[in-house]
Amino acid sequence: LRQAKFSRFVTPPPRSSEEKHVYHLYIIKVAKRDGLLEHLKTQGVEAKVHYPIPLHLQPAAVVWNLKKGMFPITEAQSTDTLTLPCHQFLDQSHVDYVVGKIAEFYGV
């Protein structure tokens, strides 16, 4: 993701050069997540928010009496993460298109 230009706005998943990944979801941390999501959707990019409510605040977790503020990192991630398209039919032109639309949104 042209990291130098995006570094103020987009953080890709950490990845060590010694590791290989098979992503089933490609989730990035972004500034202005909801605005970027809408921009991508209007440009035909099927981006999504997979985890809008942290697990400890889900109705099923009420039995543990967990409160908002107890897991601040998790709560922040629920507001600033976005899932980009990730599947076997993407080719380099698709990836370039998505990156270009992200760059367009941030003006970089």
Side-chain angles (χ1 to χ4, degrees):
L1 279 179
R2 300 178 201 162
Q3 191 56 30
K5 292 182 179 183
F6 286 106
S7 62
R8 291 188 329 240
F9 309 107
V10 178
T11 304
R15 187 167 127 181
S16 165
S17 62
E18 295 86 36
E19 297 173 338
K20 302 280 187 212
H21 291 274
V22 180
Y23 294 102
H24 77 286
L25 296 175
Y26 192 79
I27 300 175
I28 58 175
K29 179 179 174 182
V30 298
K32 303 178 188 174
R33 193 245 346 248
D34 295 338
L36 176 59
L37 175 61
E38 287 308 310
H39 174 72
L40 292 174
K41 284 183 177 182
T42 65
Q43 301 300 309
V45 177
E46 195 175 337
K48 298 180 179 181
V49 174
H50 272 89
Y51 306 106
I53 301 170
L55 290 176
H56 68 285
L57 300 177
Q58 296 280 345
V62 72
V63 297
W64 295 310
N65 199 30
L66 301 171
K67 305 291 182 209
K68 187 172 184 174
M70 294 177 81
F71 299 96
I73 295 171
T74 300
E75 291 168 27
Q77 289 175 339
S78 73
T79 64
D80 64 12
T81 57
L82 182 67
T83 304
L84 297 179
C86 178
H87 55 78
Q88 71 272 25
F89 300 111
L90 288 178
D91 63 26
Q92 190 61 49
S93 69
H94 295 117
V95 173
D96 291 343
Y97 181 80
V98 172
V99 170
K101 294 305 172 184
I102 294 171
E104 179 179 282
F105 177 78
Y106 291 115
V108 295

